[in-house]
Amino acid sequence: MDHDVTNKDHENKVQEKDVENQHVADDVTSIGHGDILQLEHTDPVLNAKMHLINDAIDEIGFTRYQWRLFVLNGFGYAVDSLILLIQSIIAGQAALEFKPGYHNGLTIAAYVGMLIGALFWGLTADIIGRKIAFNVSLIICSIFAIVAGASPNWEVLGLFVCLSAFGGGGNLVLDTAVFLEFLPSYKQWMLTLMAAWWGIGQLIAGVFAWAFIPNYSCQDPSVYPDAPPCTKSNNQGWRYVWYASGSLVFVMSILRITVIRLKETPKFLVGEGRDAECVETLQFIANKYNRPCSLTLERLQECGTVDKVSRNNKGKLGFGEVWLHLKGLYSTKRIGISTTLIWFSWTLIGLAYPLYNVFLPAYLSSRGAAFGQPSPYTTWRNYTLANFSGIWGPVLAGWMCGTKLGRKYTMVIGALVTMAFFFAYTQVRTATQNVAFTCIINFCLNVYYGTLYAYTPEVLPSAHRGTGNGIAIGWNRIMGILSAVIATVANTGTPVPIYICAALYILMAAVAIAFPFEPYGKRSS
């Protein structure tokens, strides 16, 4: 009884504090401590329940369950970057064999698949939950990645690239959301660290390319005039890359199902009015790892009924349900500004990143030729070194996010330093400088990118997190498609795309400063 009285007194104080601070609802910065969105006047019942869930997760603390999620969700990060880069790596050799009319078609196919995947898995995540996509997406990706290696022509290859990307495209939407919604507040910086898996995926792509393409590929007749015709029999390297990648992703998908039996996230359950399942999930984790958890069903139910549940009597998969989540992303002025700026940032990085990374092989090849190093072995070795460097950017970013720099200024620093090295890269004159600058740029741009990946789900309202994240990454993929068109017009062997990237990073830094929320020292909704 005393505990219930104390709890009610605590809730009354929280409500009184909200009233006292109502005049700051339109401020441009986060105020106070506790939950990021606590001063945003949305559904008060849901906010109260989210506060109790955050308390419970903090009380349970960090367990082996979260460690497993860090690795298994990290697989999704790795697969997304792996599939995206694999298509760019093998495109040149596949084109020698198939002689397509549009050489950047695979890039468009990959981004179309990832666009549809991000929107599909993102929108459905807020409707049917996070668990299904977590268990299914990598299996879909792996099957079509393996089949892509057996493609008989360019069009079929493009189709399988698209279908594989569809499966992989949902991972970036959900991996951060699932991990965040089980994560204690004092460990939220690990969301940024998890982006190191993105670099690991890039490294795997580079290693596969380095292992197979120089040794099992036909020669380019434009470089070697006496080269024999390129056929399937003498050009198996790019197919081996797909087989190896698809097999690795399949192993990852099996591990996701067997290593951990993912339970639906507590914050999704409470947003759906499934309070009993929410408490059951948290109590299960607490009991399994011998941790305390004082949350009870009675305490959640005392808060009332979530507004969405009390008025949502229509079919769950209707447009009205999607519209409900879209409106939730603009429920207050600051949340609306935050949502818009996040989507704009993803749009900018969606153009800058592929212009540099996806078309980096072409630029490296042209620079290598200029330095008297036309060897495919050297090109793919340098590519692997650059991708290895990308792993460590999110590691530094994770540490920076845990300091008073916070997420916003970590992104600002990452973007501006990347911009500086982009401009410097155009002055490279030696082979050693070429390798060094590509490694440094990959490191620095992943400081910004890794932090943006973590920042996005942290500041989105939990009930609408999948939708907001899916649309953000959807804009990213749309610009990836556009990058393929730009790369066709502006030769990627010239510095022009590098200058475009540098200018975009200046704009990204400015947008980061304007973000209305800073998650440092606060808890996500």
Side-chain angles (χ1 to χ4, degrees), residues 295-360:
L295 182 66
T296 64
L297 179 59
E298 291 74 23
R299 292 181 64 190
L300 278 181
Q301 291 179 337
E302 283 174 2
C303 297
T305 303
V306 175
D307 183 51
K308 172 187 172 184
V309 176
S310 64
R311 60 187 171 84
N312 185 28
N313 298 316
K314 298 181 180 180
K316 287 183 68 66
L317 295 178
F319 178 76
E321 181 76 10
V322 175
W323 180 244
L324 182 69
H325 291 296
L326 289 172
K327 287 198 301 182
L329 295 168
Y330 287 86
S331 54
T332 71
K333 182 179 178 180
R334 283 205 298 165
I335 290 177
I337 292 173
S338 176
T339 299
T340 301
L341 291 179
I342 286 171
W343 288 351
F344 185 49
S345 295
W346 278 97
T347 303
L348 294 174
I349 192 70
L351 180 58
Y353 184 84
L355 273 180
Y356 175 71
N357 253 55
V358 175
F359 298 107
L360 182 59

Side-chain angles (χ1 to χ4, degrees), residues 46 50 126 130 267 271 308 325 461-467 525:
L46 183 59
M50 288 296 178
D126 288 333
R130 284 74 155 134
K267 293 183 177 182
K308 172 187 172 184
H325 291 296
S462 176
H464 319 295
R465 184 170 284 140
T467 302
S525 69

Side-chain angles (χ1 to χ4, degrees), residues 501-524:
C501 291
L504 290 172
Y505 273 95
I506 297 174
L507 187 53
M508 282 181 244
V511 174
I513 293 174
F515 283 141
F517 297 112
E518 171 52 64
Y520 174 71
K522 299 178 178 65
R523 306 186 300 192
S524 65

Side-chain angles (χ1 to χ4, degrees), residues 67-109:
W67 270 121
R68 290 175 181 174
L69 283 178
F70 177 79
V71 175
L72 296 174
N73 288 32
F75 286 169
Y77 265 70
V79 167
D80 188 282
S81 63
L82 175 68
I83 296 301
L84 181 60
L85 291 193
I86 286 297
Q87 62 80 21
S88 68
I89 285 169
I90 63 94
Q93 286 302 134
L96 291 177
E97 182 178 331
F98 296 136
K99 299 178 177 57
Y102 191 73
H103 284 257
N104 289 328
L106 292 189
T107 299
I108 293 177

